[in-house]
Amino acid sequence: MEAVLAGFTDGAAQAAAAGRPIRIGTLLTAMRHAARSQEIAELAVRFRDVGVVGFDIAGAEAGFPPTRHLDAFEYLQRENFHFTIHAGEAFGLPSIWQAIQWCGADRLGHGVRIVDDITGDVLGRLAAYVRDKRIPLELCPSSNVQTGAAPSIAEHPIGLLRDLRFRATVNTDNRLMSGTSMSREMALLVEAFGYGWSELQWFTINAMKSAFIPFDERLAIINEIIKPAYAKLL
């Protein structure tokens, strides 16, 4: 962890010196099928003031519910620390419900299966709760297609979730496994849904609103970097 954070510090310094500053926040990830979530949660909190901004749990959903790691989540809540839970990709609504209502997730990794609780434009109780609470959905179009959570980019629920004003964000998931990048994911959405710069700005601002960094930093990045950059394109 010390080596990773030192590398990020060096890289950020080099970027700033080149006139292209970057802000890096690190998540530490535990795996659902392993029994080290408490240890990793404690490690995340230990490094919270030097670059680690949150905790994540990933891996197979079916057979490995997030409630198995409840001790880690309760510890993180007592420490006032942010965490996200991969839920609602390979498994459905029960996984999302447990992640939010039992474990207290700040964000949902994927969460794409929340559409199972939507009929047309009518939201079920869980979907309405997720939307009304502005719980961010870390949607990963290419990865969701590859895992079978969505039949294609054009049929990905991100279109519906955006129309219904969920806190939808665009992500890559595993860039190596999916052979993708943020630019590619955005381009795929442009091609599939006809999005323009205003829609991409909406996704980008959603992401920054949901970042695990202090509010004043999020606001500054939105108002001083994101909006001015998109204004030039718009």
Side-chain angles (χ1 to χ4, degrees), residues 65-116:
T67 48
R68 292 181 57 180
H69 306 274
L70 202 54
D71 288 348
F73 298 128
E74 290 177 345
Y75 163 77
L76 293 165
Q77 288 177 314
R78 289 194 299 272
E79 293 294 328
N80 304 306
F81 201 60
H82 297 294
F83 60 93
T84 178
I85 297 177
H86 282 219
E89 184 192 30
F91 205 64
L93 297 175
S95 182
I96 294 174
W97 181 80
Q98 285 190 14
I100 297 170
Q101 307 298 10
W102 276 70
C103 303
D106 296 297
R107 302 192 314 226
L108 288 172
H110 299 295
V112 66
R113 296 285 296 280
I114 195 67
V115 294
D116 294 350

Side-chain angles (χ1 to χ4, degrees), residues 38-154:
Q38 180 69 30
E39 174 189 357
I40 295 170
E42 291 174 1
L43 186 67
V45 170
R46 175 184 165 193
F47 285 94
R48 70 187 306 170
D49 295 322
V50 289
V52 175
V53 298
F55 173 87
D56 176 31
I57 193 160
E61 291 183 69
F64 300 98
T67 48
R68 292 181 57 180
H69 306 274
L70 202 54
D71 288 348
F73 298 128
E74 290 177 345
Y75 163 77
L76 293 165
Q77 288 177 314
R78 289 194 299 272
E79 293 294 328
N80 304 306
F81 201 60
H82 297 294
F83 60 93
T84 178
I85 297 177
H86 282 219
E89 184 192 30
F91 205 64
L93 297 175
S95 182
I96 294 174
W97 181 80
Q98 285 190 14
I100 297 170
Q101 307 298 10
W102 276 70
C103 303
D106 296 297
R107 302 192 314 226
L108 288 172
H110 299 295
V112 66
R113 296 285 296 280
I114 195 67
V115 294
D116 294 350
D117 198 37
I118 302 172
T119 303
D121 59 356
V122 178
L123 278 59
R125 292 191 184 276
L126 181 59
Y129 184 88
V130 169
R131 185 178 70 172
D132 294 348
K133 291 280 285 186
R134 313 309 295 150
I135 296 172
L137 304 176
E138 303 167 4
L139 301 169
C140 308
S142 292
S143 177
N144 295 156
V145 171
Q146 290 163 351
T147 60
S152 67
I153 299 294

Side-chain angles (χ1 to χ4, degrees), residues 196-214:
W197 292 119
S198 60
E199 288 85 4
L200 300 188
Q201 176 180 248
W202 185 82
F203 285 119
T204 305
I205 290 176
N206 272 354
M208 186 48 57
K209 285 180 178 178
S210 310
F212 290 163
I213 61 176

